[in-house]
Amino acid sequence: MQTAVQNSVPDVYSFRCEGKKIILQHSEKKYILYYSKGLNYILTLLEYPELNIPYPNLESNLSSPEKAYSQFSSPQEICEQQLKVQDGFLAVPMTDLQTIKEVKEELIQVINELAELEENCDYARADELRDIYEKLSKYLRDVYHKDYKIRHFTCEESKIKRRVVRAVNRALEEIEIIEPDLAKELRKSIEFGKTICYHQRRKIEVFGYWK
């Protein structure tokens, strides 16, 4: 990934990527930063201003969604072929109805046996069954919402978004130590929504290789 820059203006912020080193320059000042995922994401956003990038694409360095169908000549051709890039992950249920049915049946058996054991004062076996009862009950509590609908695992896309946002914020904190105004500008310009987007408010130059 490369962005060529010519005729750099002294007062413009610029990032020069040299392997693992990223040189941040503003006016006469130069700072050396070292490659991180967060800086990678920020540089990618700077390269593609105003482009809404899905978080999974950014994390996997597929910065331009159009690359997914690069064998087609135009977006129109993609539409004609009735193709679509999946822009999210499907939520996965934590369990299935058959498993829940079997757990409930086992729980009823445990409850009935517990009642019989306590009536016969078989406390040792009763204690063992109470442990089983607690585990089965906890399982049902974990898989059900309050409205008795089955819970789903946290959407994978949400996990990826959290990772990307944390990485970007860590990189911004690093930049803030040396150039507070630039960090403030980037915080205002990077929008964390359903997708991530950099809205270019001022010119920030990026050149070199960082991948």
Side-chain angles (χ1 to χ4, degrees):
M1 187 176 295
Q2 184 180 26
T3 301
V5 175
Q6 298 177 347
N7 301 323
S8 177
V9 179
D11 193 46
V12 171
Y13 287 104
S14 67
F15 290 94
R16 179 188 296 275
C17 309
E18 300 178 356
K20 294 292 182 182
K21 289 196 302 185
I22 299 173
I23 300 171
L24 170 58
Q25 184 170 355
H26 179 235
S27 298
E28 299 300 319
K29 295 178 289 187
K30 286 185 180 180
Y31 309 94
I32 295 178
L33 300 168
Y34 289 93
Y35 175 89
S36 67
K37 285 185 178 180
L39 280 173
N40 181 8
Y41 300 153
I42 289 173
L43 295 177
T44 301
L45 291 168
L46 292 175
E47 187 185 30
Y48 294 99
E50 309 304 330
L51 179 66
N52 289 292
I53 303 176
Y55 293 94
N57 286 22
L58 188 62
E59 188 179 57
S60 61
N61 292 328
L62 296 175
S63 308
S64 176
E66 292 82 5
K67 291 180 182 178
Y69 289 136
S70 58
Q71 69 269 37
F72 295 100
S73 60
S74 68
Q76 182 180 354
E77 188 173 351
I78 293 173
C79 293
E80 289 172 356
Q81 296 295 329
Q82 297 182 335
L83 296 172
K84 182 179 184 298
V85 179
Q86 181 176 322
D87 56 5
F89 293 87
L90 299 177
V92 180
M94 293 182 70
T95 187
D96 59 90
L97 294 176
Q98 180 61 34
T99 301
I100 289 176
K101 179 183 176 184
E102 291 173 2
V103 169
K104 286 181 177 179
E105 289 174 351
E106 185 177 355
L107 186 58
I108 290 171
Q109 290 176 3
V110 169
I111 291 171
N112 291 336
E113 189 176 349
L114 262 174
E116 184 178 340
L117 289 172
E118 288 176 353
E119 186 177 335
N120 296 327
C121 300
D122 189 348
Y123 299 116
R125 172 61 179 160
D127 286 342
E128 183 181 336
L129 281 180
R130 286 192 193 94
D131 290 339
I132 297 173
Y133 170 86
E134 287 299 327
K135 289 177 182 177
L136 294 173
S137 298
K138 182 179 183 303
Y139 172 83
L140 293 175
R141 289 195 300 270
D142 288 344
V143 301
Y144 274 128
H145 284 290
K146 291 180 180 178
D147 57 3
Y148 299 105
K149 291 182 180 178
I150 296 174
R151 292 179 185 272
H152 287 69
F153 287 111
T154 302
C155 177
E156 183 64 21
E157 193 167 12
S158 298
K159 295 179 182 178
I160 293 172
K161 177 180 178 179
R162 284 199 296 271
R163 289 199 296 267
V164 170
V165 171
R166 282 199 297 264
V168 169
N169 283 331
R170 284 196 298 269
L172 289 174
E173 289 170 3
E174 186 178 357
I175 293 171
E176 189 173 26
I177 294 172
I178 53 178
E179 280 289 348
D181 290 341
L182 175 59
K184 184 177 180 180
E185 177 70 22
L186 289 172
R187 288 185 196 280
K188 289 180 179 178
S189 303
I190 297 174
E191 178 185 358
F192 299 107
K194 186 175 181 181
T195 56
I196 185 169
C197 183
Y198 167 65
H199 301 290
Q200 192 170 44
R201 295 155 56 95
R202 63 172 295 171
K203 189 174 181 181
I204 301 175
E205 298 174 335
V206 180
F207 55 102
Y209 294 95
W210 66 91
K211 287 173 58 177

